[in-house]
Amino acid sequence: MRRKSLKRLILYIPVVFLMLSFSKAKEITWVAIGDSITYLNDHPDETGNRTSKGYLTMVQEAVADLHYINQGHNGWTTSGIAKEIEKLGIVKADIYTVFIGTNDWWSGIPIGTLDDYLNDTGTGTTCGSYRKIINKIRSLNHEARIILITPMQRNDFVYIANAQNNAFGSYKEKNGQSLEGFANAIAAISKQEKFESIDLYHNKELRLDKLVKYKRLKNPVTGEYKNYKFPESASIPFNPTKDEYPYPPDAMAMTYDGLHPSNKGNAIISKQLVKLFKK
C-alpha cells in the first residue's frame, strides 16, 4: 500500500506544478508612444488637476495583467520622436500604440504620402517619420501588436498655465494642410500594414462641437464676457495678455482646454483600446 501511495504522489506532484504554472497569468507589456495627450496621463498636475485619470490608466484598470509604459512626449511631433527614437529608451513589449500627429499639423510638417512611408524617405514628412518609428518597434519585437491612433479633432487650444500658448482649432487649415489629412494618412499606413487602428478624428463623440461646452470671451461690441458656443466662438477674438482664461471648469466637455482630453474624453479613447486589447 505504501509503494502504491508513493507512486501516486510522484505522479501527482508534476501535475500540481503544471497547474500552478498555467494559473499564473503572463503580464502583458504595453508601450504607448505619443505626445502630450499620452504624457499627461502621469502628470495630472499639469492639467491644473482638471483630469484625474488618463486613458492609459483607464485601459490598465480594465485589462487584466496589463502593464503600461508611458512614452508620451509633451509637444513633440512625429518627426521629433522619429529623430530621437534610438535615445528614448523604448523597450521590447507585447503591444505598441502610436498616437501622434496633432503637433505635426500645427508645426506645418508636410504630411507626405504613403510612398514616403513605403520608401523610408526620412523624417521630413509625417509619413516618412512613421516608418522610422515602425522600424524601431519591429526591431524590438517583430511579433508585437501595433495599433495606430489618429489625432482627434481640436477646438481652439489655450494652455491652462500660459494663455499665450494658444492655437486655433482644426476647423481650418494650417499651412495649407488639414488635420484630417494627417488622420487619413495614418489610416492609410495602418491599412497598408494591416495594423489595428483607432480613428479618433472621425469619432462622432469627439466632434468639434462636443470638445468644449463654450468659450468665455469678451463681446466685441459691449466688452462684457459671454459664453460662446462653437462655431460662433471661432469668430470672436481672444487676447491672451488681457482676457480671462476662456475655459473655466464648467466649460469642460470632451476636453478641458480645447485640445487635451478631459476624464470623459480619455474614457472614450480607453473604451476603443480596451475593445482591441481584449480580443
Side-chain angles (χ1 to χ4, degrees):
M1 289 294 292
R2 288 180 180 177
R3 287 183 180 179
K4 287 183 179 181
S5 298
L6 184 61
K7 285 181 180 180
R8 286 175 183 173
L9 182 61
I10 292 169
L11 291 171
Y12 180 69
I13 289 172
V15 173
V16 171
F17 277 107
L18 188 63
M19 290 174 68
L20 288 172
S21 66
F22 276 113
S23 66
K24 186 179 180 181
K26 178 183 179 294
E27 184 179 74
I28 302 165
T29 304
W30 164 33
V31 170
I33 300 170
D35 49 37
S36 57
I37 293 175
T38 301
Y39 165 86
L40 288 171
N41 184 93
D42 298 335
H43 301 86
D45 57 308
E46 294 185 36
T47 73
N49 290 307
R50 292 196 177 191
T51 64
S52 58
K53 196 176 290 187
Y55 77 91
L56 284 81
T57 299
M58 291 181 182
V59 173
Q60 182 173 258
E61 290 177 350
V63 179
D65 304 304
L66 178 69
H67 168 67
Y68 75 77
I69 298 172
N70 191 334
Q71 275 284 351
H73 300 277
N74 204 5
W76 282 35
T77 62
T78 307
S79 176
I81 290 175
K83 288 175 181 177
E84 300 296 321
I85 197 71
E86 297 298 336
K87 301 176 183 178
L88 297 180
I90 297 174
V91 299
K92 182 178 181 181
D94 303 295
I95 303 172
Y96 295 85
T97 55
V98 185
F99 183 12
I100 38 182
T102 194
N103 294 322
D104 298 43
W105 169 73
W106 184 250
S107 299
I109 295 172
I111 298 171
T113 66
L114 186 59
D115 283 341
D116 287 310
Y117 176 84
L118 295 173
N119 298 323
D120 197 2
T121 59
T123 58
T125 67
T126 295
C127 290
S129 296
Y130 256 85
R131 179 59 181 269
K132 296 296 183 186
I133 296 168
I134 299 304
N135 285 351
K136 177 61 177 178
I137 291 171
R138 284 174 165 162
S139 74
L140 292 168
N141 183 2
H142 194 74
E143 301 300 319
R145 290 176 68 183
I146 300 174
I147 301 169
L148 303 189
I149 306 172
T150 74
M152 52 190 278
Q153 295 183 48
R154 46 191 285 175
N155 208 317
D156 296 327
F157 161 63
V158 185
Y159 182 35
I160 195 168
N162 179 10
Q164 293 193 60
N165 179 0
N166 59 80
F168 59 74
S170 56
Y171 49 80
K172 62 181 180 179
E173 292 185 343
K174 177 78 186 294
N175 293 341
Q177 299 183 114
S178 68
L179 182 56
E180 185 176 25
F182 286 86
N184 290 340
I186 293 165
I189 292 170
S190 183
K191 183 178 180 181
Q192 171 69 30
E193 292 283 13
K194 296 181 174 59
F195 291 151
E196 296 168 291
S197 64
I198 295 173
D199 185 0
L200 293 181
Y201 188 90
H202 297 104
N203 187 315
K204 292 180 180 179
E205 292 182 283
L206 298 172
R207 289 188 331 224
L208 264 167
D209 60 341
K210 292 182 178 292
L211 298 183
V212 290
K213 293 177 183 176
Y214 61 83
K215 189 177 182 184
R216 186 168 176 77
L217 300 164
K218 284 183 179 178
N219 183 300
V221 177
T222 66
E224 295 181 356
Y225 282 101
K226 179 182 175 182
N227 298 340
Y228 292 92
K229 293 186 176 182
F230 182 82
E232 186 181 10
S233 60
S235 64
I236 308 298
F238 168 69
N239 186 333
T241 62
K242 296 181 179 180
D243 295 350
E244 296 176 5
Y245 186 72
Y247 297 123
D250 186 59
M252 290 195 305
M254 293 304 167
T255 72
Y256 66 86
D257 62 2
L259 168 62
H260 297 100
S262 61
N263 286 350
K264 287 183 178 180
N266 279 311
I268 290 171
I269 298 169
S270 68
K271 183 179 179 181
Q272 297 296 310
L273 281 167
V274 169
K275 284 181 182 179
L276 291 181
F277 280 31
K278 286 189 172 182
K279 276 188 177 180

